[in-house]
Amino acid sequence: MLSLQEQFQQTFGRAPTVIARAPGRIEFIGNHTDYNGGAVLGAAIDRYVWVAAAPNAAGRFRLQSHGGAKPLDLPAVPAARLTGAESWANYPLGVWRSLGDFKLPQPAGFDLFITSDLPAGAGLSSSAALELATALALLELAGSEPIAPEQLAALGRHAENNYVGVPCGILDQGTSAFGRAGQLVHIDCRGPYFSRVPLPAGTHLWIFNTREKHALIDGLYATRHRECLEAAQTLGVARLADLTPAQFRPLEPKLTPELARRAKHVIEEHARVGDTVAALQRGNLPAVGRLLTASHRSSQHLFENSTPALDRLVDLLEKHPAVYGARLTGGGFGGAVMALTREDFSMAEAEAIAAQAAPRPDLIHLQSADGAAVVR
Ligand code: GLA
């Protein structure tokens, strides 16, 4: 296989001047808490998006993704969103526009080549990784000083909210920016404030990717986002995570049964993140595992963003003695289940579980990883 430099050379007839990479992430726990002002734990993973870039003349923007037929060649960054087969380019172009919104230097023109070993649609945040790797590469082309990871995460989220049109929170970009091998990234999304919590030695992370993706996934995410804001408004709070489970209980009848389920999920999930941090600090892995699986059950029954295939995998994993806990990871409505296991959980055991699920999921044995960086 050609290296990224060679692919760039073959596409654009010259060498890249910078290569940046950003990791995907797992959502360890904290499902749909981020845009509700709650807490979340994530980990950057050893699967990446790489962006190679070189400066171009002003007003020449060429973009190519690995496997694409030919580069997109634009005289200007379009004001409107691209649609259809070109819609992937909204991410890098949205990042270029966001640099302007953030008063950061923008290269006047560029050539960009994108490649990745992150499965798209698995809920592992290939979008955020693309945003962050692009931002780092473009800043380097524009001769900018390095920016703080807080700003990098905010920039990526801004691009996604405004130029892709997904009202996501800060989890994906924050984890990709702040990731560190052997650590979980803790985000208090009210700030947001970032910190890290060690991932206990001897634990392993696995992904069981169902490869199913709901056709209306972005629309369903936006619907949940709207439902949460509506519930908060009815309850008279700025954000759902402002309420504890005890404060919520007497207020619950104010909501329709459906909005009550959404709110209960978010409020209890926020509390579970705090409990998980405490259990990690005590080294109580069985307790961590129970919280992970409880989070899944809450997604399944209250937030209703799971699927039968994800539920089936959690049912199977939960019974295995070397599995601490398992849950859907990311937005839901398809994607993947994450499992936290003992180190003696083997590929053969993972395969045996996968074989009982239909369709058979793809398996990834993950390592936690460092965050987004310029690599050359
Ligand atoms: C997606 C979004 C995140 C977060 C999760 C659910 O990954 O991009 O901001 O809301 O879903 O927790």
Side-chain angles (χ1 to χ4, degrees):
M1 207 175 98
L2 293 180
S3 70
L4 179 54
Q5 280 95 331
E6 287 164 340
Q7 294 184 77
F8 190 98
Q9 179 82 40
Q10 218 169 59
T11 309
F12 299 117
R14 62 207 174 106
T17 56
V18 57
I19 296 179
R21 77 168 192 195
R25 63 102 190 87
I26 51 150
E27 174 192 281
F28 190 77
I29 191 165
N31 188 247
H32 288 256
T33 48
D34 60 355
Y35 58 82
N36 286 300
V40 64
L41 279 171
I45 58 175
D46 59 344
R47 294 288 188 284
Y48 303 90
V49 170
W50 287 267
V51 170
N56 207 335
R60 185 119 204 244
F61 300 92
R62 295 191 296 180
L63 303 99
Q64 170 78 311
S65 76
H66 174 80
K70 61 177 173 51
L72 205 64
D73 194 339
L74 303 166
V77 171
R81 247 170 242 158
L82 298 172
T83 54
E86 293 176 350
S87 54
W88 63 269
N90 290 321
Y91 294 93
L93 295 172
V95 167
W96 186 87
R97 297 179 73 86
S98 301
L99 290 172
D101 297 344
F102 276 55
K103 309 267 179 291
L104 288 165
Q106 290 165 302
F110 57 72
D111 287 344
L112 221 63
F113 192 102
I114 298 156
T115 185
S116 174
D117 63 357
L118 259 170
L124 299 178
S125 285
S126 51
S127 321
L130 175 53
E131 289 151 7
L132 268 58
T134 303
L136 289 175
L138 295 186
L139 282 164
E140 185 85 6
L141 290 189
S144 162
E145 293 293 308
I147 62 170
E150 284 85 353
Q151 200 180 17
L152 181 64
L155 184 86
R157 180 186 178 193
H158 180 88
E160 180 128 3
N161 290 167
N162 296 284
Y163 300 113
V164 179
V166 179
C168 68
I170 195 68
L171 161 67
D172 307 346
Q173 295 82 5
T175 308
S176 186
F178 276 87
R180 178 83 49 88
Q183 310 264 321
L184 294 168
V185 178
H186 179 268
I187 312 175
D188 171 347
C189 301
R190 279 169 308 182
Y193 307 108
F194 300 90
S195 55
R196 296 191 185 93
V197 181
L199 195 54
T203 53
H204 284 233
L205 295 167
W206 292 79
I207 283 292
F208 291 73
N209 178 14
T210 64
R211 295 188 311 276
E212 69 175 0
K213 186 176 183 333
H214 201 292
L216 302 173
I217 193 159
D218 287 351
L220 288 164
Y221 185 90
T223 302
R224 288 295 179 276
H225 184 261
R226 207 172 42 245
E227 288 168 347
C228 290
L229 298 190
E230 192 185 328
Q233 201 177 27
T234 309
L235 297 172
V237 290
R239 294 156 302 211
L240 282 177
D242 291 345
L243 294 170
T244 63
Q247 288 167 328
F248 172 64
R249 229 159 282 133
L251 301 175
E252 198 176 328
K254 288 186 166 191
L255 299 173
T256 62
E258 186 172 71
L259 289 191
R261 289 197 298 277
R262 308 295 184 252
K264 191 169 194 282
H265 167 80
V266 169
I267 292 164
E268 292 180 351
E269 181 75 354
H270 172 58
R272 268 190 292 271
V273 176
D275 293 346
T276 305
V277 172
L280 284 165
Q281 283 163 346
R282 288 195 312 270
N284 187 344
L285 291 167
V288 172
R290 280 192 297 275
L291 288 157
L292 298 180
T293 307
S295 162
H296 181 83
R297 297 304 176 203
S298 179
S299 292
Q300 179 179 354
H301 300 299
L302 298 178
F303 211 66
E304 296 171 285
N305 60 333
S306 185
T307 66
L310 295 168
D311 298 340
R312 165 99 177 122
L313 280 167
V314 173
D315 294 347
L316 292 167
L317 285 159
E318 192 183 26
K319 294 195 190 90
H320 197 286
V323 175
Y324 291 115
R327 58 182 296 276
L328 72 81
T329 189
F333 308 110
V337 161
M338 173 213 90
L340 180 75
T341 73
R342 294 196 315 233
E343 58 191 336
D344 58 346
F345 184 72
S346 66
M347 185 52 96
E349 286 168 303
E351 295 278 6
I353 286 176
Q356 293 173 66
R360 193 188 172 97
D362 289 341
L363 297 179
I364 313 178
H365 186 185
L366 291 173
Q367 302 293 327
S368 56
D370 288 345
V374 170
V375 290
R376 215 199 70 154

